[in-house]
Amino acid sequence: MSNMIKSFKATYYNPAVIKNLSLVASPPYDVISKKQLANLRKKSPYNFSNLLLAANNNYKEVGMRLRKWIEDEILINDKEECLYLYEQTFGVAGKKYKRFGILGLLNMDKKGTVFPHEYTLSAPKEDRKKMIREVEANLSPIFVMVPKRLKYFHSTYNSYSRTKPFERFKDLDNNDNKIWKISDKKTIEKLCKEIASNNLVIADGHHRFEISYDYYKKNPNRFENLNYILTYITDAQDGLVVLPTHRVVSLEDKLAIFSDKMKSYFDLQEVKNVSVLEQKLKKEKNFAFGVCFKNKVYFFKLKSAKILDKLFKNSVYKNLDTYLLHQLVFDIVKIKGSIEYTHDLQEAHKLAGKDKAAFILKPVSLSAVFNIANKGYRLPQKSTYFYPKVYCGMLMRRFGV
């Protein structure tokens, strides 16, 4: 019987050559801005972004670069199969958090165990398809959650986190990242068994999951364990922080937001500024959101939860603010052009400028995410943003190693 979770031999930077991982680590490919990319590549010729993103769509060059780095022993393979424990220490809104998870391989072929929780876009998939063909590797992990607390997982973390990490670096947000190797076979077996007995939910990396699965289907016998994907697995813990994703849009008619139809569903009031808005949103249990124009900020809250029972009678999504914003609010106030997304409230307000409107949302609750995912449904695009992102460059998984 094939296992749900597996240990593997990771490929990582040779500590004898790369003394400072902070110079080579990189955020995931899909969140690197042009400015960041230039800065990352200035830090070191071996920065991992050189493998994550192809310059001028030259994917072949990336494949050659990876093989050269291996030949030159910039990157080396682990000698034994391990699971890798990964901890991030970070701050959000003045509070300190720690989040930890395991980096291992996840079987993509198991039915009913992994529920992708967002719908994906097609352009990024083409890019990753070309990349995986050239590099023959999972360069970065997908992010998967177990919707409950795992006992053995926590006790393993507690004992390892007291020891010296195998790798350590500061990322671009100045968060502390640490990695420990778990090579003990019994510990690996117990961890894999505990994780496998639960539902798993993809929190981030849907494109990578679909691309890897597609690659495996097209090359079923090319490499051993190709039906597995590099995965970061975490559980329901205090460090699992979800940030909201605000929307900045152009409206066909600015006044539609104050229409009778909107007023029949929502109570609205003008508030002084975005800080006041944020406080008001925090207190709301029911669906509520803010709208910022250049010099005005408004707070909208649903008059009664009964409205949703009527409009979205049997929908699993009726407690999901992102869904309600798109299906209810954007249905009334028509938007035009594309949507800009940001997790930063001040930035959203700034982006609204004089022509646009910023729709400010609360973070999605973990219970809503777990509830939807456990029923086998997906979340709409850009519903959740788990902070911080799982970094890249600490290790990768090359096929056939």
Side-chain angles (χ1 to χ4, degrees):
M1 181 167 130
S2 65
N3 294 337
M4 183 72 199
I5 311 291
K6 257 180 143 57
S7 53
F8 70 109
K9 289 179 184 168
T11 300
Y12 44 77
Y13 284 102
N14 185 347
V17 182
I18 303 291
K19 306 279 192 220
N20 180 359
L21 271 180
S22 303
L23 300 177
V24 292
S26 161
Y29 77 98
D30 54 348
V31 295
I32 302 173
S33 67
K34 281 199 171 79
K35 192 175 155 194
Q36 261 182 344
L37 186 61
N39 289 339
L40 288 167
R41 290 184 173 171
K42 256 187 224 139
K43 283 182 171 198
S44 163
Y46 300 116
N47 188 278
F48 202 72
S49 62
N50 287 294
L51 298 179
L52 286 176
L53 294 164
N56 308 317
N57 295 330
N58 191 341
Y59 298 91
K60 275 206 162 35
E61 183 185 44
V62 179
M64 283 160 64
R65 182 178 297 133
L66 172 57
R67 288 184 281 280
K68 177 95 174 86
W69 289 6
I70 287 156
E71 204 180 299
D72 296 348
E73 293 192 353
I74 304 300
L75 293 168
I76 53 174
N77 300 326
D78 212 328
K79 291 187 170 47
E80 52 189 339
E81 293 201 346
C82 299
L83 289 175
Y84 302 84
L85 178 66
Y86 177 30
E87 175 204 272
Q88 290 162 293
T89 307
F90 59 100
V92 173
K95 265 180 84 174
K96 266 263 183 269
Y97 296 93
K98 270 191 168 109
R99 187 184 71 204
F100 62 90
I102 293 285
L103 288 156
L105 300 187
L106 170 75
N107 192 333
M108 296 184 284
D109 243 1
K110 287 276 193 200
K111 279 278 172 278
T113 28
V114 177
F115 301 116
H117 91 219
E118 265 190 359
Y119 288 102
T120 55
L121 305 159
S122 58
K125 287 200 273 201
E126 278 316 302
D127 161 62
R128 291 300 100 181
K129 263 184 191 173
K130 290 172 182 155
M131 191 61 95
I132 201 168
R133 282 202 295 266
E134 294 301 332
V135 296
E136 298 182 334
N138 297 140
L139 297 172
S140 54
I142 63 168
F143 183 142
V144 162
M145 298 176 295
V146 177
K148 65 179 222 196
R149 192 182 165 95
L150 301 174
K151 265 198 179 125
Y152 186 69
F153 182 63
H154 274 256
S155 68
T156 306
Y157 164 71
N158 289 336
S159 57
Y160 273 84
S161 61
R162 294 190 187 104
T163 63
K164 189 175 186 272
F166 149 65
E167 293 181 333
R168 185 174 190 174
F169 66 94
K170 287 264 200 265
D171 64 30
L172 293 181
D173 289 345
N174 213 26
N175 299 327
D176 200 10
N177 294 256
K178 295 179 189 171
I179 299 250
W180 292 266
K181 274 188 199 190
I182 300 175
S183 57
D184 177 63
K185 297 241 184 316
K186 274 211 164 72
T187 309
I188 290 173
E189 204 178 311
K190 279 177 85 168
L191 278 171
C192 291
K193 206 172 158 185
E194 184 181 49
I195 293 164
S197 62
N198 291 279
N199 277 333
L200 301 176
V201 184
I202 297 186
D204 199 4
H206 304 83
H207 295 119
R208 275 162 279 178
F209 183 88
E210 289 184 22
I211 290 330
S212 299
Y213 194 65
D214 176 70
Y215 182 81
Y216 152 62
K217 283 291 187 211
K218 287 184 175 136
N219 308 277
N221 306 313
R222 190 153 180 204
F223 299 103
E224 207 186 343
N225 295 328
L226 199 54
N227 56 330
Y228 284 81
I229 184 170
L230 178 60
T231 304
Y232 167 83
I233 302 159
T234 187
D235 70 347
Q237 53 183 263
D238 298 338
L240 204 53
V241 174
V242 188
L243 299 184
T245 305
H246 312 304
R247 276 84 169 136
V248 182
V249 297
S250 296
L251 299 176
E252 281 184 14
D253 172 14
K254 276 189 187 167
L255 295 176
I257 197 87
F258 310 111
S259 66
D260 290 344
K261 193 161 187 192
M262 281 295 286
K263 285 177 181 161
S264 70
Y265 295 138
F266 299 97
D267 289 323
L268 87 118
Q269 66 181 110
E270 191 177 335
V271 293
K272 204 166 142 193
N273 53 37
V274 286
S275 305
V276 176
L277 173 64
E278 195 172 23
Q279 290 315 312
K280 282 189 153 318
L281 286 172
K282 266 189 188 141
K283 291 186 191 126
E284 274 311 309
K285 289 276 180 278
N286 285 340
F287 177 43
F289 62 95
V291 180
C292 303
F293 296 106
K294 191 185 177 189
N295 357 339
K296 300 266 188 194
V297 179
Y298 298 94
F299 170 65
F300 287 77
K301 73 170 187 177
L302 196 67
K303 285 188 165 165
S304 152
K306 289 191 182 118
I307 292 169
L308 302 180
D309 295 335
K310 214 157 108 185
L311 290 172
F312 304 101
K313 200 172 169 190
N314 298 318
S315 175
V316 286
Y317 298 119
K318 69 177 177 207
N319 296 322
L320 196 65
D321 290 12
T322 41
Y323 178 80
L324 297 174
L325 181 75
H326 285 254
Q327 299 302 319
L328 176 58
V329 181
F330 286 173
D331 196 44
I332 302 169
V333 300
K334 301 282 185 267
I335 65 171
K336 56 183 185 187
S338 57
I339 302 176
E340 279 179 276
Y341 300 95
T342 175
H343 313 290
D344 185 314
L345 188 60
Q346 305 295 340
E347 187 187 26
H349 195 188
K350 215 159 80 193
L351 284 171
K354 60 178 199 299
D355 297 321
K356 293 185 170 184
F359 284 80
I360 307 300
L361 291 169
K362 302 181 295 192
V364 171
S365 75
L366 279 175
S367 59
V369 173
F370 291 154
N371 182 31
I372 290 164
N374 279 329
K375 288 186 174 140
Y377 291 92
R378 292 184 176 207
L379 288 183
Q381 270 282 307
K382 308 281 186 195
S383 290
T384 52
Y385 182 86
F386 287 88
Y387 181 81
K389 289 278 187 182
V390 173
Y391 246 61
C392 304
M394 304 91 63
L395 53 88
M396 68 167 111
R397 176 269 185 127
R398 288 166 58 230
F399 306 147
V401 166

